[in-house]
């Protein structure tokens, strides 16, 4: 349809065709003054606000994709704009080998209410996309809930692929998928800029879930002042929480604790307040922590951190796991206050491992209560550490052999 239509009541658009798509708003905007429901159950596509400006929906938009071989596109091309005053509900239950729902394929989408997206695809590859193209943008006034379910090859979701996303309400993401590829990506590609103006709540509930990646391929994310990122009631038991190019405005305290087999990986990010980080695996490289920081490693795999971190407040590093924790491998870490290292697990801690110009402006306290391991300070040839304050070393290990080395090589 070339568009220019006005619908006064509720509208339902069904595509059951096996060889034909429905396209709305190709040249002129369509105006829906009630609710709009899109049902795609055939084997081709539905497109709305395809290539026109000033498309509008006064009520709610519901998208149901149960197609055997088709996608749904909202705000498709560069020129397309769509304003939705109400809520948006998206359900992908397609059995197709590959199925996709795009909100803001390469156009601009504004949602005045809440957004609820559920990926229940039963095919091999099911995906939900927000802000797909580099010209795309999506703005959501209300709360956003995304749920990623299912098995198979790929169950993926993107909140900002190349496009920009502004979330003015809370963002809650529940990743329940154990597909071979089951990541939820946020502000993913270079040029994608996401603004999180309210709290972020994340859950990863099943074994072999791949978790979440913020800024994995060069995108940026900003968390507003007074807002937090936390783990939801369902827990975080598997997969990555990667935070890259992520900035927290203000000094609100953050607590991010992961369990079981999960991996917390933070690089090139900036946190304004006190922070408590805990996970089976913890990696921190090239970050700025502007409050106090507690970093706790609890799991069995080794963590090799490249360094380059700057800490403004007091820092505590805990290793209670069965894998080693190593930092300062390539670049020096800078501590502007006191540092305490506690090793109570069954593997080593390496600090200022092989980089020069590591510094501690305050005191250094080293506590070894481990059952079978050592602590190495300035381990490799060429590594240097300057401690301006006092150094206190306590070895109360119960191991048959335990060592603390100040200047190993």
């Amino acid at each position: 349809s070339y568009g220019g239509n006005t619908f006064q009541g509720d509208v339902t658009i069904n595509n059951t065709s096996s060889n034909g798509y429905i396209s709305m708003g190709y040249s002129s905007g369509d105006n829906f003054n009630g609710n709009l429901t899109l049902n795609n159950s055939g084997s081709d596509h539905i497109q709305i606000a395809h290539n026109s400006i000033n498309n509008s929906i006064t009520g709610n938009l519901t998208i149901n994709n149960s197609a055997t071989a088709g996608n749904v596109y909202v705000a498709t091309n560069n020129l397309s704009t769509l304003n939705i005053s109400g809520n948006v509900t998206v359900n992908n239950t397609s059995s197709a080998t590959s199925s996709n729902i795009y909100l803001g394929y390469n156009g601009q989408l504004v949602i005045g209410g809440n957004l609820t997206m559920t990926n229940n695809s039963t095919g091999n590859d099911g995906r939900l996309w927000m802000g797909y193209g580099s010209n795309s943008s999506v703005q959501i006034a209300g709360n956003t809930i995304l749920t990623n379910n299912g098995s198979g090859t790929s169950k993926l979701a993107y909140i900002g692929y190349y496009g920009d996303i502004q979330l003015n309400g809370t963002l809650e993401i529940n990743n329940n998928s154990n597909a071979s590829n089951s990541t939820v990506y946020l502000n993913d590609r270079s040029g994608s800029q996401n603004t999180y103006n309210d709290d972020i709540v994340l859950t990863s509930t099943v074994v072999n879930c791949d978790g979440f990646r913020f800024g994995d391929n060069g995108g940026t994310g900003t968390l507003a002042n007074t807002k937090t990122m936390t783990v939801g009631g369902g827990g975080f038991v598997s997969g990555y929480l990667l935070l890259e190019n992520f900035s927290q405005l203000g000094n609100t305290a953050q607590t991010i604790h992961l369990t079981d087999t999960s991996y917390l990986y933070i690089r090139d990010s900036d946190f304004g307040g006190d922070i408590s980080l805990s996970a089976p695996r913890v990696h921190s490289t090239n970050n700025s922590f502007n409050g106090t920081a507690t970093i706790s490693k609890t799991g069995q795999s080794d963590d090799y951190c490249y360094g380059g971190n700057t800490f403004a407040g007091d820092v505590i590093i805990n290793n209670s796991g069965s894998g080693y924790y190593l930092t300062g491998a390539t670049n020096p870490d800078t501590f502007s206050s006191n540092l305490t290292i506690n090793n109570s697990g069954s593997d080593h801690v390496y600090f200022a491992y092989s980089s020069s110009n590591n510094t501690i402006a305050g005191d250094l306290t080293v506590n070894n209560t481990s059952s079978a391991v050592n602590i190495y300070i300035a381990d490799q040839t060429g590594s240097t550490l300057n401690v301006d304050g006092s150094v206190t070393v306590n070895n109360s290990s119960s191991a048959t052999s335990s060592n603390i080395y100040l200047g190993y090589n």
Side-chain angles (χ1 to χ4, degrees):
S1 167
Y2 287 99
N5 303 290
T6 300
F7 301 88
Q8 296 297 343
D10 293 345
V11 176
T12 300
I13 298 175
N14 301 311
N15 187 8
T16 60
S17 173
S18 60
N19 191 28
Y21 63 79
I22 296 176
S23 177
M24 301 290 293
Y26 185 81
S27 298
S28 301
D30 292 313
N31 298 302
F32 299 86
N33 291 326
N35 302 310
L36 173 62
T37 300
L38 306 177
N39 296 315
N40 195 30
S41 59
S43 55
D44 214 318
H45 310 314
I46 293 180
Q47 300 173 342
I48 66 166
H50 178 65
N51 192 42
S52 56
I53 63 172
N54 298 326
N55 294 271
S56 65
I57 302 171
T58 303
N60 303 320
L61 171 63
T62 302
I63 301 173
N64 299 308
N65 188 36
S66 59
T68 57
N71 304 322
V72 178
Y73 300 82
V74 178
T76 311
N77 289 329
N78 292 3
L79 296 176
S80 59
T81 65
L82 172 60
N83 186 84
I84 303 169
S85 300
N87 301 319
V88 176
T89 302
V90 175
N91 300 300
N92 187 15
T93 58
S94 172
S95 61
T97 302
S98 176
S99 63
N100 303 272
I101 299 177
Y102 299 92
L103 298 185
Y105 183 77
N106 208 27
Q108 287 76 56
L109 173 63
V110 176
I111 299 172
N114 300 320
L115 170 62
T116 303
M117 303 180 72
T118 305
N119 191 15
N120 272 323
S121 166
T122 58
N124 279 336
D125 190 332
R127 306 188 184 198
L128 301 176
W129 304 80
M130 293 171 57
Y132 177 80
S134 59
N135 189 66
S136 65
S137 66
V138 180
Q139 179 178 317
I140 305 158
N143 300 325
T144 299
I145 299 176
L146 187 152
T147 303
N148 189 41
N149 298 322
S151 56
T153 301
S154 296
K155 298 297 182 292
L156 303 173
Y158 296 82
I159 300 181
Y161 186 51
Y162 282 100
D164 301 335
I165 311 296
Q166 179 176 318
L167 300 113
N168 292 327
T170 59
L171 172 62
E172 177 184 336
I173 311 178
N174 304 297
N175 198 349
N176 309 315
S177 174
N178 61 357
S180 299
N181 302 289
S182 57
T183 302
V184 176
Y185 295 90
L186 302 97
N187 44 272
D188 184 52
R189 300 286 171 161
S190 179
S192 176
Q193 299 180 9
N194 283 11
T195 303
Y196 305 94
N197 286 327
D198 211 322
D199 297 334
I200 301 172
V201 181
L202 307 173
T203 63
S204 173
T205 62
V206 296
V207 175
N208 297 324
C209 178
D210 288 336
F212 306 86
R213 291 175 179 261
F214 290 73
D216 189 30
N217 292 289
T220 61
T222 302
L223 179 64
N225 186 23
T226 75
K227 305 308 176 183
T228 62
M229 175 183 290
T230 57
V231 173
F236 199 119
V237 302
S238 181
Y240 273 78
L241 174 52
L242 168 67
L243 301 175
E244 184 170 4
N245 305 319
F246 190 87
S247 297
Q248 176 209 354
L249 303 181
N251 59 1
T252 300
Q254 306 291 326
T255 299
I256 304 174
H257 290 176
L258 316 183
T259 61
D260 292 58
T261 60
S262 52
Y263 191 173
L264 179 57
Y265 197 117
I266 305 176
R267 64 189 180 208
D268 299 318
S269 295
D270 190 327
F271 291 88
D274 298 344
I275 194 163
S276 176
L277 306 172
S278 177
R281 299 194 65 187
V282 182
H283 183 104
S284 177
T285 294
N286 293 334
N287 301 300
S288 294
F289 300 96
N290 295 297
T292 63
T294 300
I295 300 173
S296 300
K297 172 184 172 54
T298 63
Q300 62 183 1
S301 297
D302 299 330
D303 287 305
Y304 188 95
C305 305
Y306 295 101
N309 301 289
T310 300
F311 300 88
D314 291 346
V315 177
I316 300 173
I317 296 174
N318 300 312
N319 185 12
S320 61
S322 55
Y324 70 67
Y325 183 79
L326 181 154
T327 189
T330 303
N331 298 310
D333 293 310
T334 301
F335 298 82
S336 298
S337 189
N338 304 309
L339 171 64
T340 300
I341 299 173
N342 298 313
N343 195 19
S344 61
S346 56
D347 211 324
H348 309 311
V349 171
Y350 300 89
F351 179 76
Y353 178 66
S354 57
S355 55
S356 61
N357 300 319
N358 293 271
T359 59
I360 301 171
D363 300 331
L364 171 63
T365 302
V366 181
N367 299 309
N368 189 31
T369 60
S370 63
S371 58
V373 291
N374 306 323
I375 296 176
Y376 299 83
I377 308 295
D379 184 76
Q380 297 291 298
T381 302
S383 62
T384 64
L385 170 64
N386 186 80
V387 182
D388 290 342
S390 301
V391 176
T392 302
V393 177
N394 300 300
N395 188 7
S396 55
S397 171
S398 60
T400 302
S401 174
S402 64
N403 304 274
I404 298 177
Y405 299 94
L406 301 184
Y408 184 77
N409 203 25

